[in-house]
Amino acid sequence: MSEAKNVGVLALQGDFREHKQMLERLGARVREVRLPGHLEGLGGLVVPGGESTTIGKLAAEYGLDAAVRAAYRAGNLAVWGTCAGAIWMAREILDYRQPHLGIMDIAVRRNAFGRQVDSFEADLEVEGLDAPFRAVFIRAPEIVRVGEGVRVRARYQGRVVFAEQDRLWATAFHPELTGDDRLHREFLERLVAS
Ligand SMILES: NC(=O)CC[C@H](N)C(=O)O
């Protein structure tokens, strides 16, 4: 990468440190975002996995949901939600009422891959990548509906686990937990330099 990109990780709850480390290894300047003011000057924001109800409540309490929505609509923020982060981004969450960002035209079902298997790994064919991506699923959601402007980039057993809409990404899996940094690299490369 020729120039450092300014990117944030939402650091309210969940495994934001793993994302931060991976982004820093790729040469990005990474800021932990806990308050609306921390969004200033960022080209992208990664929302980690964790517990989507907790993330949603804390984000609402600190005014971060409104601030992220505004920054996205102003046209200068890319947002990537992973697992709980993807749930937070979804317009619709099946069966639950919880505060969320709701900017991405998808519907998700939490904990969609069965109670008996809390976590598993799988090699996914991801559109745009030339070799399979080892994906870690931990009590993962499924993307059950995608709107018209949404591109499906990966499925697992026919179910959507990676969706892209404009500057928004939602992955049901955890791309920060293996050494494979191809998606973090692509996310950074696409950001407008700031
Ligand atoms: N690994 C994760 O982020 C799990 C998400 C969690 N099951 C939720 O619904 O919030």
Side-chain angles (χ1 to χ4, degrees):
M1 217 176 318
S2 49
E3 56 214 309
K5 303 283 177 73
N6 290 312
V7 62
V9 291
L10 195 74
L12 298 174
Q13 191 268 339
D15 74 331
F16 57 89
R17 288 179 193 85
E18 286 80 359
H19 279 290
K20 188 179 181 199
Q21 282 163 10
M22 195 168 253
L23 292 162
E24 281 174 345
R25 271 204 303 278
L26 290 167
R29 276 190 296 262
V30 187
R31 188 185 303 154
E32 293 183 9
V33 172
R34 295 192 175 84
L35 294 169
H38 299 160
L39 293 168
E40 190 79 34
L42 294 183
L45 178 70
V46 175
V47 186
E51 217 289 311
S52 61
T53 312
T54 307
I55 292 174
K57 280 185 185 156
L58 291 173
E61 208 167 293
Y62 297 131
L64 269 164
D65 46 4
V68 171
R69 255 180 237 128
Y72 168 69
R73 295 204 172 118
N76 43 24
L77 191 71
V79 189
W80 178 12
T82 63
C83 204
I87 297 168
W88 188 59
M89 286 172 67
R91 183 161 300 167
E92 188 189 347
I93 303 168
L94 270 52
D95 307 324
Y96 287 87
R97 290 179 65 83
Q98 61 193 76
H100 61 290
L101 187 66
I103 57 175
M104 190 164 177
D105 191 9
I106 57 174
V108 297
R109 178 180 291 119
R110 293 176 63 182
N111 307 320
F113 290 91
R115 290 194 183 285
Q116 62 279 51
V117 218
D118 270 355
S119 69
F120 59 94
E121 296 187 12
D123 288 318
L124 301 180
E125 296 292 338
V126 176
E127 243 190 69
L129 296 185
D130 50 14
F133 190 91
R134 185 85 184 157
V136 180
F137 292 84
I138 305 168
R139 293 172 53 75
E142 174 189 359
I143 298 165
V144 293
R145 181 187 65 74
V146 298
E148 255 176 42
V150 182
R151 170 185 174 206
V152 172
R153 289 193 57 185
R155 293 175 190 269
Y156 171 71
Q157 296 185 339
R159 299 153 87 181
V160 178
V161 292
F162 182 2
E164 175 179 315
Q165 176 190 347
D166 181 25
R167 283 163 286 117
L168 306 176
W169 280 10
T171 54
F173 52 91
H174 285 259
E176 73 289 8
L177 295 181
T178 64
D180 192 340
D181 59 16
R182 286 176 293 164
L183 291 180
H184 287 79
R185 188 184 298 272
E186 181 185 335
F187 185 72
L188 287 176
E189 276 167 1
R190 288 209 202 173
L191 300 184
V192 180
S194 49

